Amino acid sequence: MIRLEDLSVTIHGAPILSEVSLDIAPGKVTGLVGESGSGKSITALAMMGLLPHGSTASGHAWLEEGDVLAKTEREMCTLRGNRVGMIFQEPMTALNPLKTIGDQVAETLVIHGRATKREALEIARARLARVGLPEDRFPLGRYPHELSGGQRQRVCIAMAVALNPELLIADEPTTALDVTTQAQILDLLKRLVAEEGMSLLLITHDLAVVSGLADHVAVMQAGRIVEQGPTEALFRSMAHPYTRKLFAASSHQPARVAQAEDVPLLTVENAVRDYATARLGIFGQPGRFRAVNGVSFTLRRGESLGLVGESGCGKSTLTRAILGLDALQGGAIRLDGQEIHAGPHLDATIRRRMQVVFQDPYGSFNPRWRVERLVAEPFHLSPEHLPDRRDRVARALEDVGLEPEAMHRFIHEFSGGQRQRIAIARALITNPDLIVLDEAVSALDVRVRAQILDLLARLQEEHGLAYLFISHDLSVVRSVTDRVMVMKGGEIVEEGPTEAVFAAPAHDYTKALIAATPRIPADWQGEQNA
């Protein structure tokens, strides 16, 4: 379908890609794997003619019509969406929040002159139904914010395939999705390739995802393809050391020391949280949606407790209640016996003893502040003057493996893994007893994720921390927690020691979550890998 030949890219003179050669066969799935910064996305952008300002490209990207790199912008506008479609990692930023999903899918057809507005909406209706969004449940008049993450990603897929492109580029299409939604999206992509006859370039850092979908795999490191071949053959041999390192990182188990005390730290008793829904008519009463329904559990000092479940199961709502950000309609939450009351009057001592690390570190920081102020931000909870504030920031940065000089820089000057380390430093600065980790490693590539998990294990041992680890990545939860709770529909449907739950799940929902988790076939892991 498309052939890359010695593709090289520089941005403002800095080399990004170096002599990349790759064939994407018609009707086949090609996987492109590697850690963040290896050049995967730049390769895709070069094929789409969307390189950033200041870029210089050389080499060739051959289509039937000729070299993509030699085409003008007008010619590329005809090509994009028509013969080559692309799905981006974050659907919410790829969609226009001011336009309905029907208009956005139809827009591609209208712009390329393939249909009138009315015809385009009919095709959009069929395409959305094709990707699992039938009109009876998802009207064309819905806006992106009214959909879940997986549903928004389906809209992006419908847009990308509206004109039946010959090549579909999917750039990390499932990174932020829970395991069951991820499985549905991957199955949808595989089905589209088989039924539409298109080629698919799947860009990801997850080797397990690639192993179950791709016919051919290329491994990228520092702007070069270091190894490529048929999927099964590549996984059996893993001839390049970097490929073996990626594989080892994907199944990394941090060295943890069990230190949970038999002393309750956080106690949740019959927690209930309701939300008001839309009124049924002008004079109707608003409805109620129960997001958390009678949840009870205890987290002990020094313990790691996992909380897993699909998007929308109530994990984040429960977390906000624990952190004192949302009030409960029933039940109670206590930290060391002291009840947590949501609102501005929550005791500052309780706030200092609980900290949180979010999924997106960049989004949780003020980009105008330097790292020193970012890490010291929780000190506003402390009424007393702290003359040694800078020393505390320096110690916190050293604890997470960064140089104290990092405090003088801005957050945009750091990589994703470094930003997450800074987020952990901010959580440590008040010497908390409990840290809530809300999808703290889900957006990281496998090698950086392994480093962060090792860091968390070390900090827990050194500081006696308790973790509430919220994640949709079951392999991560299995490697870092002592106990695990499975949440569905606002209720805890199963809980117990982590290994016991994973080895012999009792609830059908837990079994479905584990079955949906992608994994590399055991018989592909040859002697090299062992």
Side-chain angles (χ1 to χ4, degrees), residues 106 168 174 185 397 417:
L168 182 62
T174 62
I185 294 296
L397 290 173

Side-chain angles (χ1 to χ4, degrees), residues 91-100 104 107 143-144:
M92 196 58 186
T93 58
L95 295 172
N96 186 335
L98 302 179
K99 299 186 72 171
T100 65
Q104 294 191 62
E107 184 179 34
Y143 288 88

Side-chain angles (χ1 to χ4, degrees), residues 328-363:
L328 294 175
Q329 277 74 49
I333 300 175
R334 296 181 177 86
L335 184 71
D336 238 0
Q338 187 175 357
E339 190 164 349
I340 296 173
H341 296 284
H345 303 297
L346 177 64
D347 191 300
T349 303
I350 293 181
R351 286 201 185 277
R352 286 200 301 271
R353 295 179 63 191
M354 294 188 300
Q355 292 294 318
V356 61
V357 178
F358 298 100
Q359 175 178 351
D360 178 13
Y362 191 70

Side-chain angles (χ1 to χ4, degrees), residues 428-476:
L428 286 174
I429 200 74
T430 60
N431 297 317
D433 297 313
L434 168 65
I435 294 182
V436 177
L437 298 151
D438 188 3
E439 300 283 8
V441 297
S442 64
L444 304 177
D445 63 62
V446 288
R447 294 188 69 189
V448 176
R449 184 182 71 187
Q451 295 166 8
I452 296 297
L453 293 179
D454 282 338
L455 169 64
L456 291 172
R458 177 174 62 80
L459 292 174
Q460 184 173 41
E461 182 180 355
E462 293 176 356
H463 298 275
L465 297 167
Y467 290 148
L468 178 59
F469 204 99
I470 301 164
S471 180
H472 61 250
D473 191 330
L474 300 192
S475 62
V476 170

Side-chain angles (χ1 to χ4, degrees), residues 123-249:
I123 297 172
R125 184 176 288 109
R127 279 299 178 185
L128 287 168
R130 180 76 178 80
V131 299
L133 300 176
E135 190 183 15
D136 58 340
R137 294 175 52 212
F138 303 94
L140 299 186
R142 282 202 179 183
Y143 288 88
H145 71 271
E146 299 179 276
L147 304 176
S148 69
Q151 290 162 355
R152 288 195 288 263
Q153 194 63 284
R154 289 173 185 268
V155 175
C156 289
I157 294 173
M159 291 171 60
V161 301
L163 289 170
N164 298 311
E166 296 165 56
L167 170 64
L168 182 62
I169 301 173
D171 189 2
E172 300 279 8
T174 62
T175 296
L177 304 179
D178 60 65
V179 288
T180 51
T181 305
Q182 173 181 263
Q184 293 166 8
I185 294 296
L186 293 175
D187 181 65
L188 170 61
L189 291 174
K190 191 171 185 177
R191 198 166 66 248
L192 286 171
V193 169
E195 296 175 3
E196 306 279 347
M198 67 178 69
S199 304
L200 173 64
L201 176 62
L202 178 64
I203 298 172
T204 182
H205 60 251
D206 194 327
L207 296 182
V209 167
V210 163
S211 70
L213 194 65
D215 302 294
H216 185 94
V217 177
V219 181
M220 196 167 225
Q221 179 189 25
R224 294 177 178 272
I225 291 180
V226 297
E227 184 173 4
Q228 62 177 303
T231 305
E232 183 175 351
L234 184 140
F235 275 92
R236 287 186 182 278
S237 64
M238 293 198 185
H240 197 277
Y242 178 71
T243 309
R244 295 197 291 273
K245 287 180 181 178
L246 283 181
F247 176 81

